[in-house]
Amino acid sequence: MEFISKTSKATDPYRIVEELSFGSSDSYDLGFLFVSELNKLTIQEIALLLRKRIQVRHLLGCSSCGVIGTENEIERRPASVLILARFPGVKMIPFSMRQTQLEALKTTEDWCNFFDIYPNENPIFIVLPYPFAFDMNRFLDCMNKGYPHCSVMGGMASGGFEPGENILILDQEQLEEGLVGVVLTGDI
C-alpha cells in the first residue's frame, strides 16, 4: 500500500487542481478529496478537473468546514486536500445510498445483496454521509447487525448550515443527499 497527500490553499479551481496533482503522474486505485469554504459548483469543477488530470479508479469526496493535510490543519479558510492510495490486491466496490434505499434494506441478506459483499469477506467500509438528509444512526445500527466485527469509518460532509449547501462526490457523480462510500476487501 502507498499513500500520498497534497494540500492547496488556492481558490481558483485550475490552480487547486495544479497544486493537488503536482508530481502525481502515476495511476492510483482510490482518491479522497476534501474541499472547504468553496461553493458546490467550484467543488464539482475541481472534482471533474482532477479526474481529467490524475488517473484514479475511484474518487470519493465532500465539502468540509476544514481540512487536514500531512503538514497542517486549515479551518474556516479555503483549502483542499487530496489523498491518493494504491491498494494492490484489494477489491474495491464504490457505492452510494439514498435514505429511501436505506429504509428498504430490512434483512442481512438485503444488505449483502446491496453491497455484493458478505461478512466472512471481512470488508472495510469507508463512508461519507450527507448531513440533514441521511439517518447515519440507522445505517450504523444496520451495519453492526449485518456486518458484525467489520470496520466502518469515514467522516461527514460539512461546511453547509442547511440542506442543499454540502456536496458528496463519487467518481463522476455529485450528490446532495445520502451517503457515498467504498467497500474494501482482500489484502489490506
Side-chain angles (χ1 to χ4, degrees):
M1 281 187 271
E2 178 185 346
F3 294 88
I4 64 168
S5 176
K6 303 283 181 120
T7 305
S8 172
K9 295 178 186 176
T11 57
D12 174 70
Y14 291 95
R15 181 78 178 146
I16 292 168
V17 169
E18 176 144 338
E19 291 178 5
L20 294 179
S21 63
F22 181 76
S24 303
S25 58
D26 295 329
S27 63
Y28 301 90
D29 297 309
L30 186 58
F32 296 97
L33 174 66
F34 303 99
V35 182
S36 71
E37 300 295 322
L38 296 174
N39 67 52
K40 290 186 313 189
L41 294 175
T42 303
I43 295 170
Q44 290 173 336
E45 185 176 8
I46 293 165
L48 291 171
L49 290 169
L50 270 173
R51 296 283 303 186
K52 291 178 182 177
R53 189 86 177 256
I54 297 175
Q55 275 191 311
V56 59
R57 250 184 358 175
H58 300 294
L59 179 67
L60 273 72
C62 63
S63 55
S64 61
C65 62
V67 299
I68 299 174
T70 54
E71 298 179 13
N72 52 17
E73 180 176 352
I74 304 164
E75 294 186 17
R76 298 188 183 103
R77 292 187 313 246
S80 305
V81 167
L82 177 65
I83 301 166
L84 296 168
R86 286 193 188 96
F87 289 113
V90 174
K91 178 181 175 183
M92 283 180 247
I93 302 173
F95 67 93
S96 63
M97 181 183 289
R98 293 182 175 10
Q99 183 65 33
T100 54
Q101 291 172 299
L102 173 64
E103 292 168 3
L105 298 172
K106 304 288 186 197
T107 67
T108 298
E109 185 177 346
D110 291 342
W111 283 85
C112 293
N113 288 334
F114 180 84
F115 291 117
D116 195 25
I117 293 287
Y118 294 88
N120 65 338
E121 296 176 77
N122 299 313
I124 295 173
F125 297 85
I126 303 173
V127 297
L128 299 172
Y130 192 98
F132 311 113
F134 192 78
D135 186 348
M136 195 60 193
N137 288 329
R138 181 176 182 163
F139 176 84
L140 291 172
D141 184 52
C142 290
M143 292 297 290
N144 285 331
K145 291 175 185 168
Y147 293 91
H149 312 292
C150 295
S151 298
V152 179
M153 62 190 86
M156 184 170 288
S158 60
F161 295 102
E162 58 187 57
E165 292 184 353
N166 293 301
I167 190 166
L168 300 172
I169 297 164
L170 177 63
D171 294 332
Q172 288 84 13
E173 188 178 5
Q174 290 87 34
L175 299 139
E176 294 183 20
E177 65 173 320
L179 170 141
V180 296
V182 64
V183 184
L184 306 173
T185 63
D187 187 20
I188 301 175

